[in-house]
Amino acid sequence: MAGESFPFTSSTLRALRLQREWLEWEDRRRAAAQRSRGSHRSLLSPQTRLLRPRRSCRDPAVHSALFSGDLQQVQALFQGEEAANMIVETVSNQLAWSAEQGFWVLTPKTKQTVPLTIAAARGYTDCARHLILQGAELDTRIGGRAALHEACARAQADCVRLLLTFGAKANVLSEEGMTPLHLCTDPESLQCARLLLEAGATVNLASQESQATALHVAAARGLDRHVALYLERGAAVDLRTSQGETALNAACAGAEAGPRHEAAARMLLEAGADPRAAGRKRHTPLHNACANGCAGLAELLLRHGASATVSNGAGHTPMDCALQAVQDVQNWEPEALFSALLDYGAKPIHPEMLKYCANFPRALEVLLNAYPCVPSCDTWVEAVLPELWQEHEAFYSSALGMVNQPRRLQHLARLAVRAQLGSCCRRATPQLPLPPLLRDYLLLCVEGRIQ
């Protein structure tokens, strides 16, 4: 009657079915425990039975049923607790270097796991449910990870829900010391993370070796929606890894030219993350952002108080890291990054370093306009590719013609105003009573020639 009166959604019906199956499974487990206690044939305690050696299986037919998710075969092959908890061994040939023979050789490597982990990792929910109802241990870590770890690593939300419904531990540790939440590393794993937190996963629990939290992992991968979820659930932004990295350090170190890492960093900063917190080798988040050529992320950090002049453990400033990125990062326009650093107080680079930007005329113009006069330096001129010189001859010729020549009074006035504003140049310039064109000029806008 209730089914006729209320329009149950598919998710509600699924939850009710899981609850009914869990109750049936619990009743069978209790009945089995009572029979075990009342039986005079078994002299083993429950603790002793857990230590009983497991069966191992290398049968290709069993492997095929599990890895293909053939429910009928799984139901036929896995009957009872012993079968559901057998060790499944797979052997694969992998290339390994042989020092004795001096070349790569194919070496067989054996991997061990259990049926439930295979089914959960591949999203075979019906197979996983059958194995659980047959007595599969939920948190066993044969092969290093539990079924919940693998389900989260593969973003199998339905299997995560199933495992948690039947009592899998949300904070179960892998042999590497990581929780399932640490393995939510794919954008599609957001629902898995939600389910874990609803089931009691500890958001600030650090991995045993690296001391990284789930927030560190999500920030490093630019998972902005995961970062938002963890912050909403109380993730601490000031926790550090064993290398001294905060989540903001991790976000900037893993940053790529794109919006995701920048969005994650913005959330962390708004939650109180310190933009000057130095981590490994005294790299600040700004050093990392500049090394990755992320102009938008660098400007975001600078707006929140990052220092454009601080040195890391090697004595390199963020500008030095940006110059290195010119060589390492492909297909980007470095002038925006150089302009932001100069506007927030970075010093002009040594003339010898101009050669690294010689083939980026717009970036070179920004850097040359930071000097009172164009310095005498043949290294950057010699570094320009002939075809690029031909394409941008007007700019390169104007720069070469102004070497050690007096610059216009307008340019000298610009430098005087910028020096007075210091690191507040970019924030203060929009508030000055100046025409828009003059404001752009003050902020080293690119004109295509040196005057």
Side-chain angles (χ1 to χ4, degrees):
M1 181 175 179
E4 298 174 356
S5 303
F6 299 97
F8 289 108
T9 64
S10 59
S11 60
T12 303
L13 292 172
R14 183 169 60 248
L16 290 172
R17 186 178 71 252
L18 286 174
Q19 182 69 13
R20 183 179 67 251
E21 290 176 347
W22 182 85
L23 291 173
E24 294 172 352
W25 172 78
E26 183 67 14
D27 289 341
R28 285 201 295 271
R29 187 188 65 80
R30 290 177 179 175
Q34 290 176 355
R35 288 195 300 271
S36 177
R37 285 194 295 268
S39 174
H40 296 290
R41 292 176 298 175
S42 176
L43 300 177
L44 298 175
S45 66
Q47 291 79 8
T48 306
R49 285 197 301 275
L50 289 176
L51 299 176
R52 180 185 298 165
R54 297 170 180 262
R55 290 169 49 195
S56 294
C57 176
R58 292 188 179 184
D59 189 337
V62 175
H63 293 175
S64 176
L66 287 171
F67 285 101
S68 65
D70 188 333
L71 179 59
Q72 291 185 343
Q73 286 295 316
V74 169
Q75 290 173 334
L77 292 168
F78 296 94
Q79 294 290 332
E81 183 176 346
E82 186 177 6
N85 288 297
M86 71 167 59
I87 294 176
V88 178
E89 291 188 351
T90 58
V91 180
S92 60
N93 290 323
Q94 298 185 0
L95 282 174
W97 178 256
S98 174
E100 295 180 357
Q101 302 180 52
F103 52 82
W104 293 89
V105 295
L106 285 175
T107 304
K109 184 174 182 180
T110 301
K111 293 184 179 180
Q112 293 186 334
T113 185
V114 291
L116 181 59
T117 299
I118 296 173
R122 285 155 180 78
Y124 301 145
T125 311
D126 291 337
C127 293
R129 181 185 294 107
H130 170 77
L131 292 166
I132 293 172
L133 295 176
Q134 293 301 311
E137 296 174 13
L138 296 170
D139 299 317
T140 187
R141 301 178 302 174
I142 302 297
R145 292 180 178 180
L148 194 56
H149 288 111
E150 295 293 349
C152 290
R154 302 284 188 91
Q156 303 291 356
D158 287 340
C159 283
V160 170
R161 182 183 291 107
L162 176 74
L163 292 164
L164 292 171
T165 299
F166 279 96
K169 296 177 182 177
N171 288 320
V172 60
L173 294 179
S174 68
E175 288 185 357
E176 300 167 323
M178 293 190 295
T179 67
L181 205 58
H182 285 104
L183 297 176
C184 293
T185 57
D186 187 273
E188 302 303 320
S189 66
L190 181 64
Q191 182 60 19
C192 298
R194 284 200 182 100
L195 291 168
L196 290 168
L197 292 168
E198 290 169 1
T202 305
V203 71
N204 286 320
L205 191 62
S207 61
Q208 291 182 343
E209 184 174 347
S210 68
Q211 291 298 296
T213 65
L215 186 63
H216 285 96
V217 175
R221 292 176 176 267
L223 301 176
D224 52 327
R225 293 189 299 167
H226 288 66
V227 169
L229 173 64
Y230 298 155
L231 291 174
E232 179 185 331
R233 297 303 181 95
V237 296
D238 56 347
L239 294 180
R240 293 178 179 260
T241 66
S242 58
Q243 297 290 328
E245 303 281 323
T246 65
L248 184 59
N249 289 112
C252 296
E256 301 171 351
R260 293 193 309 161
H261 285 87
E262 188 175 335
R266 182 178 292 107
M267 294 175 196
L268 293 168
L269 288 165
E270 291 173 353
D274 182 4
R276 298 190 177 212
R280 186 174 61 89
K281 297 182 180 179
R282 287 169 48 196
H283 266 51
T284 66
L286 184 58
H287 283 97
N288 289 324
C290 290
N292 288 323
C294 299
L297 179 55
E299 185 173 350
L300 174 67
L301 294 166
L302 290 163
R303 286 202 308 267
H304 282 80
S307 172
T309 59
V310 67
S311 298
N312 61 16
H316 297 153
T317 65
M319 181 67 84
D320 295 325
C321 294
L323 287 169
Q324 184 61 47
V326 172
Q327 309 300 310
D328 298 338
V329 180
Q330 300 296 320
N331 302 321
W332 72 299
E333 299 175 348
E335 63 271 10
L337 180 52
F338 293 140
S339 179
L341 290 170
L342 290 168
D343 287 346
Y344 281 91
K347 304 301 180 185
I349 66 174
H350 191 281
E352 288 289 338
M353 305 297 288
L354 291 171
K355 61 185 178 183
Y356 295 114
C357 300
N359 293 303
F360 296 85
R362 293 173 63 87
L364 183 61
E365 179 182 342
V366 169
L367 294 174
L368 289 176
N369 279 332
Y371 300 101
C373 66
V374 177
S376 176
C377 185
D378 294 333
T379 54
W380 74 260
V381 177
E382 296 171 354
V384 180
L385 297 172
E387 60 271 22
L388 200 61
W389 186 287
Q390 184 176 2
E391 182 181 354
H392 299 276
E393 184 177 0
F395 165 72
Y396 286 117
S397 296
S398 68
L400 189 59
M402 290 299 296
V403 170
N404 289 331
Q405 297 298 313
R407 297 291 298 271
R408 293 193 305 174
L409 183 60
Q410 182 177 340
H411 172 69
L412 299 178
R414 166 168 64 178
L415 293 184
V417 174
R418 289 176 60 86
Q420 187 66 30
L421 295 176
S423 61
C424 299
C425 187
R426 182 160 293 198
R427 294 196 300 271
T429 296
Q431 303 175 27
L432 296 177
L434 298 173
L437 288 176
L438 199 51
R439 291 177 187 169
D440 292 342
Y441 180 77
L442 190 58
L443 293 174
L444 304 179
C445 66
V446 175
E447 298 178 319
R449 61 188 300 111
I450 298 294
Q451 303 183 58

